[in-house]
Amino acid sequence: MPRTLVVTNDFPPRQGGIETFVHAMTVRFPPDRVAVYTSGTPGDRAHDARLPFPVVRDRARVLLPTRRVTARAVELARRFDCDSVWFGAAAPLGLMAGELRRRTDVRRLVATTHGHEVWWARTPGARALLRRIGAGVNSVTCLGSYTRAGSPPPSDRRRRRACGGSRRAWTPRCSGDRRRGRRGCGSGTAWARGRSCCARRGSSRARDRTR
């Protein structure tokens, strides 16, 4: 049965807002319909052993769209009979979309924007790469209006994607921004604004509640 290959640098046990989001979405797939290709991080063996789907760790601590990493993604898409790919963070790994489409049976590619893509969109050289990512995938999803501004494709190819975790897992745990009239830092939109003081505490709680 075809699977979705999740290609990401942001996966537990590494902690943070994007990691929590990607994990929460991935565990909602049927176990036989998803596989993960991600970077290595301390403690990953014990973590991955508890998951019901395959997780392939690269030797690198940070995946970049190099020839070697792209070739490995192609090999895994073939090995797991994948017909779709989800880039947990659009930039920079979404630059592999074209090769995956040309060299595998993958026909649907989705990339998610978070916060750093907004910086890419404001920088001339990086903006061109972001547009290339948008042209290479079928859809670019965003978590809110802030990251929508950094989504590269035309508006008819953008999709809003809410968090896959429970509502309690994403409840703000601090009042760091309330004096400015904003919500606390537990929401995806707040994380996109770079306000991540609760990311470490919130991510561990979200993982526990989504298993």
Side-chain angles (χ1 to χ4, degrees):
M1 186 172 292
R3 298 179 189 247
T4 293
L5 180 64
V6 180
V7 181
T8 183
N9 272 304
D10 307 295
F11 200 75
R14 186 177 294 168
Q15 294 185 334
I18 302 177
E19 288 83 355
T20 301
F21 177 84
V22 173
H23 178 269
M25 295 295 291
T26 302
V27 297
R28 276 157 174 71
F29 282 85
D32 61 347
R33 299 298 301 275
V34 67
V36 176
Y37 176 36
T38 188
S39 49
T41 191
D44 55 22
R45 288 190 178 184
H47 175 271
D48 297 346
R50 298 193 298 268
L51 297 176
F53 48 79
V55 178
V56 178
R57 298 278 178 173
D58 197 85
R59 66 174 183 263
R61 291 295 176 88
V62 178
L63 293 183
L64 296 173
T66 62
R67 288 185 179 181
R68 183 189 68 79
V69 171
T70 301
R72 187 76 187 282
V74 167
E75 186 270 322
L76 293 174
R78 292 171 175 169
R79 183 201 305 181
F80 293 115
D81 190 26
C82 296
D83 62 358
S84 59
V85 169
W86 175 37
F87 298 104
L93 294 177
L95 291 168
M96 299 191 294
E99 285 295 297
L100 283 162
R101 195 185 297 276
R102 283 190 291 271
R103 298 169 59 185
T104 71
D105 292 331
V106 169
R107 289 297 173 264
R108 180 154 188 83
L109 299 104
V110 177
T112 296
T113 60
H114 297 272
H116 66 279
E117 289 90 356
V118 176
W119 175 87
W120 283 56
R122 294 172 177 171
T123 307
R127 185 185 305 127
L129 295 177
L130 199 57
R131 287 175 177 166
R132 179 178 158 193
I133 292 171
V137 300
N138 298 87
S139 299
V140 173
T141 70
C142 58
L143 304 184
S145 58
Y146 180 77
T147 53
R148 177 180 286 272
S151 300
S155 59
D156 63 345
R157 295 177 62 195
R158 301 177 191 173
R159 300 290 183 270
R160 176 80 177 266
R161 177 59 59 199
C163 169
S166 69
R167 185 178 182 87
R168 287 182 301 167
W170 294 87
T171 300
R173 298 288 177 178
C174 78
S175 56
D177 261 358
R178 288 178 184 171
R179 62 182 178 275
R180 298 187 181 94
R182 292 177 180 171
R183 297 179 61 190
C185 62
S187 69
T189 301
W191 267 318
R193 290 173 176 153
R195 308 182 190 282
S196 56
C197 61
C198 290
R200 292 183 180 275
R201 288 180 293 161
S203 62
S204 61
R205 281 194 277 273
R207 285 198 302 274
D208 291 341
R209 290 169 182 164
T210 53
R211 281 180 188 150

